[in-house]
């Protein structure tokens, strides 16, 4: 693993996730929220973010196919697992690891809005703004990054590296 360069250390990630948690807790003070994690990349981020929320929170998970084992996005989004509960009337926070072209989140946003939630917000740990193909933005962003392929803290390349505690750049 010596070829990997650290982009954000575990300490930097923890500090930023705590900040996001505070912000979301203020915005939804006194309300309940449903955190909808996009499997598998957002699993670690969701579990850390959830513990920084001073709110009544439940979890749900959704799964879509995107990259397969390639570094490039096929442009096709396929739903592999839907949410378990209806999102109707709920404060839904979609939790994603990376907002890249925006295809995945645009698809999921339309899908969740069709449930008629009370509120809908997107939180993305990383935002590759320069790569966007769909006009979509996250309401909460951890870090904006340039066009580099990153792994660790839940994010993979061909399913590897998800368990790295730091976010690293794959050359
Ligand atoms: P989008 O539909 O292009 O926005 O794709 C977003 C998804 O692609 C994210 O949820 C990630 O799973 C994956 N992805 C995009 N960039 C990276 C990366 O640099 N490393 C790992 N996964 C990535
Ligand atoms: Mg993902």
């Amino acid at each position: 693993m010596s070829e990997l360069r650290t982009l954000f250390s575990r300490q930097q990630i923890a500090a930023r996730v705590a900040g996001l948690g505070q912000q979301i807790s203020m915005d939804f003070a006194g309300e309940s929220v449903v955190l909808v994690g996009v499997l598998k990349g957002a699993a670690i981020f969701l579990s850390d973010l959830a513990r920084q929320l001073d709110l009544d929170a439940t979890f749900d998970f959704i799964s879509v196919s995107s990259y397969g084992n390639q570094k490039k996005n096929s442009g096709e989004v396929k739903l592999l697992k839907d949410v378990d509960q209806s999102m109707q009337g709920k404060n839904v926070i979609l939790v994603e690891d990376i907002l890249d072209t925006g295809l995945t989140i645009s698809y999921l946003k339309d899908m969740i809005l069709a449930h008629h939630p009370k509120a809908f917000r997107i939180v993305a740990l990383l935002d590759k703004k320069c790569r966007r193909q769909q006009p979509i933005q996250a309401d909460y962003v951890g870090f904006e990054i340039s066009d580099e392929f990153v792994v660790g803290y839940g994010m993979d390349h061909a399913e590897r590296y998800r368990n790295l505690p730091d976010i690293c750049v794959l050359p």
Side-chain angles (χ1 to χ4, degrees):
M1 295 201 187
S2 54
E3 76 274 21
L4 298 174
R5 172 171 61 85
T6 300
L7 187 60
F8 300 109
S9 69
R10 61 204 79 181
Q11 292 83 3
Q12 287 174 302
I13 299 166
R16 189 64 195 112
V17 172
L20 290 171
Q22 273 183 10
Q23 216 181 325
I24 294 170
S25 299
M26 286 199 311
D27 293 351
F28 287 94
E31 305 227 20
S32 310
V33 297
V34 188
L35 302 177
V36 178
V38 185
L39 294 173
K40 303 168 203 165
I44 293 179
F45 176 40
L46 184 145
S47 57
D48 281 347
L49 180 66
R51 286 175 288 178
Q52 298 296 330
L53 294 181
D54 189 15
L55 298 172
D56 177 29
T58 57
F59 296 176
D60 211 322
F61 292 93
I62 219 163
S63 179
V64 289
S65 69
S66 53
Y67 280 67
N69 286 347
Q70 280 152 35
K71 281 185 177 182
K72 281 211 193 114
N73 195 325
S74 62
E76 185 194 337
V77 181
K78 186 172 147 207
L79 187 66
L80 301 178
K81 186 210 165 292
D82 203 345
V83 287
D84 296 330
Q85 308 282 323
S86 170
M87 298 290 129
Q88 187 171 0
K90 309 259 178 78
N91 293 310
V92 179
I93 301 177
L94 187 62
V95 183
E96 177 61 307
D97 52 1
I98 306 190
L99 185 46
D100 185 27
T101 63
L103 288 165
T104 309
I105 290 286
S106 299
Y107 171 84
L108 293 176
K109 179 181 179 179
D110 290 347
M111 216 187 84
I112 291 172
L113 287 183
H115 287 236
H116 302 291
K118 180 177 178 191
F120 176 78
R121 299 285 185 275
I122 297 165
V123 53
L125 179 61
L126 302 178
D127 186 0
K128 288 188 194 174
K129 240 183 200 146
C130 57
R131 295 251 314 153
R132 205 76 89 251
Q133 290 173 20
Q134 295 284 321
I136 188 146
Q137 286 187 17
D139 300 283
Y140 308 96
V141 172
F143 305 98
E144 193 175 321
I145 64 170
S146 55
D147 186 8
E148 296 181 294
F149 199 87
V150 296
V151 295
Y153 197 70
M155 292 167 283
D156 75 309
H157 176 242
E159 296 299 327
R160 291 181 65 208
Y161 309 112
R162 291 196 196 275
N163 61 320
L164 295 179
D166 304 316
I167 296 175
C168 301
V169 176
L170 198 68

